Amino acid sequence: MKYDALHEELESRLLAALLPRFENKPTVLAREMDMNRATLRKKLRDPSSMEEN
């Protein structure tokens, strides 16, 4: 497994695991992570969709 693919998979799993701690509210999690909520939604849906061209 390539580093990028591994990183995306781990990041997606970590964000999904953190979501219940924030009442399953992606907006709250995104704010705490200092991340755009649209980016968070994409990473939660499909980590491979975040691949850079």
Side-chain angles (χ1 to χ4, degrees):
M1 183 178 261
K2 290 184 177 180
Y3 173 79
D4 291 337
L6 177 63
H7 180 265
E8 290 169 358
E9 179 67 25
L10 290 175
E11 183 178 48
S12 178
R13 288 182 185 207
L14 177 62
L15 291 171
L18 284 172
L19 197 54
R21 294 182 182 214
F22 293 90
E23 301 173 7
N24 290 317
K25 296 181 180 175
T27 303
V28 178
L29 175 57
R31 186 181 324 123
E32 289 298 316
M33 298 291 295
D34 195 27
M35 177 186 293
N36 185 292
R37 65 187 169 92
T39 302
L40 175 63
R41 280 197 312 262
K42 287 179 187 176
K43 289 182 179 192
L44 287 170
R45 271 192 219 127
D46 181 14
S48 64
S49 69
M50 294 303 295
E51 289 180 11
E52 294 181 20
N53 294 327

